[in-house]
Amino acid sequence: MTNRVHSGRAQVVRARRGLRLRPAQAVVTGFGIAVAAGTILLMLPISKVGPGGANFIQALFTSTSAVCVTGLTVVDTPTFWTPFGQVVILLLIQLGGLGIMIFASLIGLVLARKLSVRARLNTAAEAKAVGFNDVRGLVRGIVLISLTIEAVTFALLFLRFLLGYGYTVGEAAWHGAFHAVSAFNNAGFALYSDNLIGFAQDPFICLPLCAAIILGGLGFPVIMQLRKEFRRPLHWSMNTKLVLWGTAVLLIAGTVYITILEWNNPRTFGGMDPWGRVLAGFFHSVQTRTAGFNSVDIGAMHDETWLGMDVLMFIGGGPAGTAGGIKVTTFAVLFFIMMTELRGEGAVNIFGKRLSRAVHRQAITVVLIAVAAVIVGAGLLMLLSGENLDRALFETVSAFATVGLSTGITADLSASAQVVLVVLMFLGRLGPLTLGSAIALRDRRILYEFPKERPAVG
């Protein structure tokens, strides 16, 4: 009898272990639950202006775009959603930016003042932490950094809206808070039907938003290390150096590229003064880091400009932050691998340190999955909507990289094409490696090796 009891208990324990989610699976599940909850809230009649509620596709698309901090929309945010609906969107943006697991860990800290090992693992998976011994400090640091940057951005925007545009205190506070959160979390949602076109030449609006977007796109590990060791660059990690150098190069290159191509375009930069054109070029270079605001009509830009923006959006920002894309570090790793191969060297060395071979495989995997997702997505959009390659590719990259910039076709796409963008936003926010490891049935450890052979390459 005793043996049967022990056997039964063992089976229960094994069953419970089997039901436990691995960290990556928990992250995917958390984001899925947030999207579902946001969809339900946005379908309520109280969320939509006028009689009735939003339909399922409108609510699902908006909820996914907010949680995945993308910014693509199928309805006009300021006129379609009520203040309640806009608050829901704002909360979803904040939740998606901080990360479901980080947010859950914050609640655990407040209520229980302690974290279980599993909670630490889940948080480390979301924040891309190397270890999880100091997850408590990690969570506090992330929340403190987020709220501080958002508060400073809010203050600057609040004063500008209040003193420069004659808003009431309440209007200035609401617009300042919404756009500060949307900017730092790289979401791109705006409370204006033309996004930020009305502020195209206002540096007191554009520059604070750009600063918040850049800081959010650097990634929390970079910001936290800079906060501690700003004056000791020799102590900076390879990740921090790659993100800072990559961000600077891409921002400058993007500004020059976009400004030159659109300088004389009468439908975008052509009607501005020279400094306004430079500001607009810099602003849109920043937006390609996965923010999604626009101060000119993106659909009126040249095709060549779209192509360059496709590349910048695809690369994205820093890891473990609010930006999307394949990440600056992934792009940099592939660049150094290429340079090492061209020089005929054996090991990839970056900033005086040797790159782990495991990182080679991870970078290649991320890029190949991302390229496949974009190609398949663009093909489906062309098939389902009849759009040409330029617009379909731009919209697909924008969705996968969680950018939110649009040539203006998203709202007119069929429901099936919009669902394609929903899937791309979800995949792009979580990352190919996270999503892939979450759906894998089990880890395979091969205890033997096959003999080596080298095929012809190139």
Side-chain angles (χ1 to χ4, degrees):
M1 183 68 179
T2 303
N3 292 335
R4 291 181 180 179
V5 172
H6 286 302
S7 177
R9 288 178 178 175
Q11 291 178 358
V12 171
V13 171
R14 284 195 296 269
R16 288 178 176 175
R17 288 178 178 175
L19 292 175
R20 288 181 179 178
L21 298 177
R22 284 180 288 178
Q25 292 174 322
V27 172
V28 174
T29 303
F31 270 87
I33 292 173
V35 169
T39 302
I40 294 172
L41 289 174
L42 291 176
M43 289 180 68
L44 298 175
I46 193 177
S47 297
K48 177 181 173 293
V49 174
N55 63 44
F56 175 72
I57 294 297
Q58 292 170 335
L60 173 65
F61 193 99
T62 304
S63 177
T64 304
S65 184
V67 172
C68 297
V69 291
T70 304
L72 285 175
T73 58
V74 293
V75 294
D76 186 27
T77 302
T79 60
F80 186 87
W81 303 111
T82 63
F84 176 83
Q86 293 171 6
V87 170
V88 170
I89 293 172
L90 183 65
L91 293 177
L92 292 175
I93 291 172
Q94 187 71 82
L95 191 65
L98 287 176
I100 299 300
M101 293 303 105
I102 297 176
F103 191 83
S105 297
L106 173 63
I107 295 176
L109 282 173
V110 173
L111 297 180
R113 294 189 176 276
K114 64 180 181 179
L115 287 172
S116 66
V117 173
R118 178 160 296 279
R120 293 183 181 186
L121 283 170
N122 292 340
T123 307
E126 167 60 21
K128 304 295 189 299
V130 176
F132 57 90
N133 291 327
D134 192 30
V135 172
R136 182 190 297 268
L138 174 68
V139 171
R140 289 174 176 169
I142 288 175
V143 174
L144 178 62
I145 289 170
S146 299
L147 295 181
T148 300
I149 296 175
E150 289 174 356
V152 173
T153 308
F154 159 76
L156 295 174
L157 295 178
F158 170 77
L159 292 175
R160 184 56 177 168
F161 286 134
L162 182 67
L163 303 177
Y165 292 91
Y167 286 19
T168 64
V169 174
E171 290 174 339
W174 170 236
H175 282 250
F178 189 95
H179 292 96
V181 172
S182 184
F184 176 72
N185 291 288
N186 282 216
F189 278 89
L191 294 178
Y192 304 95
S193 297
D194 61 355
N195 207 277
L196 297 179
I197 291 179
F199 307 103
Q201 299 188 72
D202 188 345
F204 298 103
I205 295 292
C206 292
L207 293 182
L209 291 175
C210 286
I213 291 164
I214 293 171
L215 291 173
L218 290 179
F220 295 115
V222 174
I223 297 176
M224 294 178 75
Q225 183 167 49
L226 290 178
R227 187 180 65 172
K228 295 178 181 179
E229 301 179 315
F230 180 77
R231 297 183 179 180
R232 297 189 294 177
L234 293 178
H235 293 183
W236 293 352
S237 66
M238 181 189 296
N239 179 77
T240 296
K241 293 178 181 178
L242 286 177
V243 170
L244 292 178
W245 276 103
T247 298
V249 170
L250 292 174
L251 282 176
I252 294 172
T255 300
V256 173
Y257 182 86
I258 295 172
T259 303
I260 291 176
L261 289 182
E262 296 297 318
W263 186 268
N264 293 318
N265 187 344
R267 296 185 298 168
T268 56
F269 295 5
M272 303 178 185
D273 59 66
W275 284 112
R277 299 179 195 186
V278 174
L279 175 63
F282 173 72
F283 184 81
H284 287 89
S285 177
V286 173
Q287 304 316 309
T288 59
R289 313 317 311 289
T290 82
F293 292 116
N294 63 281
S295 62
V296 298
D297 182 8
I298 300 297
M301 286 182 164
H302 296 306
D303 294 351
E304 299 84 354
T305 308
W306 287 348
L307 181 60
M309 294 174 73
D310 286 339
V311 175
L312 293 172
M313 292 190 297
F314 186 76
I315 296 173
T322 56
I326 62 171
K327 304 297 187 294
V328 172
T329 47
T330 305
F331 178 77
V333 164
L334 290 181
F335 173 79
F336 281 105
I337 290 176
M338 178 188 70
M339 294 304 297
T340 299
E341 192 65 27
L342 290 176
R343 290 195 295 259
E345 299 175 355
V348 179
N349 300 311
I350 305 176
F351 300 124
K353 295 183 179 180
R354 183 164 54 88
L355 189 68
S356 169
R357 291 193 178 274
V359 178
H360 299 198
R361 299 192 299 270
Q362 290 175 344
I364 293 172
T365 301
V366 167
V367 171
L368 289 180
I369 292 177
V371 169
V374 168
I375 292 176
V376 172
L380 288 175
L381 242 61
M382 294 172 66
L383 181 65
L384 296 172
S385 65
E387 291 290 342
N388 59 38
L389 176 60
D390 291 337
R391 292 182 183 272
L393 180 62
F394 190 95
E395 224 74 8
T396 302
V397 174
S398 181
F400 177 80
T402 68
V403 180
L405 293 173
S406 174
T407 58
I409 66 173
T410 301
D412 298 325
L413 294 174
S414 64
S416 56
Q418 290 174 357
V419 170
V420 171
L421 294 180
V422 167
V423 174
L424 287 170
M425 288 188 289
F426 195 80
L427 175 62
R429 175 63 182 99
L430 296 176
L433 282 180
T434 302
L435 191 60
S437 60
I439 63 177
L441 294 177
R442 61 188 178 88
D443 295 327
R444 295 185 59 189
R445 296 183 179 181
I446 300 177
L447 302 179
Y448 56 89
E449 291 185 356
F450 292 102
K452 292 183 179 180
E453 186 173 348
R454 181 171 182 171
V457 177

